[in-house]
Amino acid sequence: MRNKRISIKKVIFYICLLGLIILLVMPILWAMLLSLKTNNEIVNSPLSLPQTINFENYQRAIDTIDFSKMYFNTILLVVISTFFSILFTFMSSFAIARMVFRNHKASETLYLFLLIGIGIPIYVLLFPVYRIDSLMGILGTRLGLILPYVAVNISFNTLLFTGFLRDIPGELEEAAIIDGCNLFKLCTKVVIPVMKPTFVTIIIFNAVYIYNEFPFASTFIQNNALNTVSLMTSMFKGQYSMDYSGIIAASLMIMLPELVFYVILQKYIISGMTAGAVKG
């Protein structure tokens, strides 16, 4: 009777798991089918199979979009923004989690202040950041995007960094200091190697966010030469028309590098998120 009850639970579990997989995979499969259709087929029969399989939509996307320039712009923003975001938040998180303040509430207050950003919608920041970029004279430049990208990632990075740092045994750092490590060597030789899963997790989340970010990019970029991959699909929209098949084909081409990047490093995401959750 007990084995039968366990087997029923397993069946229910696998059915739910299968349903979840279908929910996650179906949009991608549907997009792949739509990318092989003409605009008329997409509008008139979006749920049916394509009448003829052709890859003209992908060729049109390649002819319309300068992929090399957009990927270069995007990767440059991702690398620079992620680097400085991690650098600043690691230093602030290390101070919050490991250093002793005269006022014991100061570190907790600073920690909560940095976490407030998680609850602020990105669209609320558009006008203030636009004004700041304009006053600084960096509106429409890469720097005008890098600074807000660094800022919006501070809260999430602080949450994971601080959660892990607070549970690193103090004896580990004390032993390193006794051996002659200064603060820089302590961080680079002891703390950072221990936090490798957390670092990789934060890098992935920051990179994926910046890669897909649209509101800031569409608002602040005023030169087509600086366009990012998130703006690719807007090139298929006319004043009175919409190239649906081109948009879908371009979207899949944008998504492919991101999926490969995520699949390769997904094991670090699981370990890093688990470490941050448990150790926080």
Side-chain angles (χ1 to χ4, degrees):
M1 184 69 180
R2 185 179 177 183
N3 291 335
K4 184 177 181 181
R5 187 178 301 173
I6 293 175
S7 62
I8 292 174
K9 289 183 178 180
K10 284 186 177 180
V11 170
I12 295 174
F13 172 76
Y14 285 119
I15 290 175
C16 293
L17 185 61
L18 179 61
L20 180 61
I21 293 173
I22 291 173
L23 287 175
L24 294 174
V25 174
M26 277 301 296
I28 299 176
L29 295 178
W30 189 30
M32 292 175 65
L33 289 176
L34 291 177
S35 69
L36 301 175
K37 292 183 175 183
T38 63
N39 286 323
N40 289 332
E41 288 181 292
I42 292 175
V43 173
N44 298 323
S45 55
L47 299 178
S48 65
L49 294 174
Q51 296 180 0
T52 58
I53 297 178
N54 62 76
F55 297 94
E56 293 179 0
N57 298 329
Y58 291 95
Q59 184 61 49
R60 188 165 67 257
I62 294 173
D63 294 338
T64 304
I65 298 171
D66 189 349
F67 278 90
S68 60
K69 181 182 293 184
M70 288 192 175
Y71 276 122
F72 172 78
N73 292 335
T74 304
I75 292 173
L76 186 64
L77 289 174
V78 167
V79 172
I80 296 176
S81 302
T82 301
F83 172 78
F84 284 105
S85 178
I86 290 176
L87 177 65
F88 296 149
T89 50
F90 173 73
M91 291 190 296
S92 62
S93 299
F94 186 85
I96 292 171
R98 309 307 291 173
M99 293 188 174
V100 179
F101 289 73
R102 289 184 179 180
N103 186 343
H104 296 294
K105 293 184 179 180
S107 62
E108 196 64 28
T109 302
L110 178 60
Y111 176 59
L112 293 176
F113 173 76
L114 293 176
L115 292 187
I116 290 175
I118 294 178
I120 301 177
I122 195 70
Y123 293 98
V124 175
L125 302 175
L126 285 178
F127 179 71
V129 175
Y130 183 92
R131 287 288 297 160
I132 292 171
D133 279 3
S134 180
L135 291 173
M136 293 177 63
I138 57 175
L139 185 64
T141 66
R142 290 193 177 98
L143 183 60
L145 278 177
I146 290 172
L147 293 181
Y149 285 162
V150 171
V152 297
N153 283 318
I154 287 176
S155 296
F156 175 78
N157 296 359
T158 301
L159 179 65
L160 288 188
F161 273 141
T162 307
F164 194 99
L165 282 165
R166 281 179 171 171
D167 205 56
I168 293 179
E171 293 80 3
L172 186 65
E173 297 176 4
E174 291 173 2
I177 293 172
I178 291 173
D179 289 338
C181 282
N182 56 27
L183 184 59
F184 178 77
K185 288 185 177 180
L186 176 65
C187 292
T188 57
K189 302 294 185 180
V190 179
V191 177
I192 292 178
V194 173
M195 296 181 61
K196 180 181 176 182
T198 303
F199 267 92
V200 176
T201 301
I202 291 174
I203 289 172
I204 293 171
F205 274 92
N206 286 192
V208 170
Y209 165 75
I210 297 169
Y211 185 88
N212 292 317
E213 200 282 325
F214 182 80
F216 281 144
S218 61
T219 304
F220 301 152
I221 291 179
Q222 301 175 346
N223 183 355
N224 290 335
L226 300 179
N227 279 349
T228 61
V229 294
S230 62
L231 301 178
M232 284 184 182
T233 55
S234 62
M235 296 185 175
F236 294 90
K237 180 181 178 181
Q239 185 174 2
Y240 302 107
S241 62
M242 181 81 76
D243 186 357
Y244 297 104
S245 57
I247 290 175
I248 296 170
S251 298
L252 288 173
M253 296 175 73
I254 295 170
M255 194 191 321
L256 182 59
E258 183 180 0
L259 287 176
V260 173
F261 178 71
Y262 187 88
V263 169
I264 293 175
L265 299 177
Q266 57 86 24
K267 64 178 181 179
Y268 294 104
I269 296 178
I270 297 173
S271 59
M273 289 297 288
T274 304
V278 174
K279 297 178 184 299

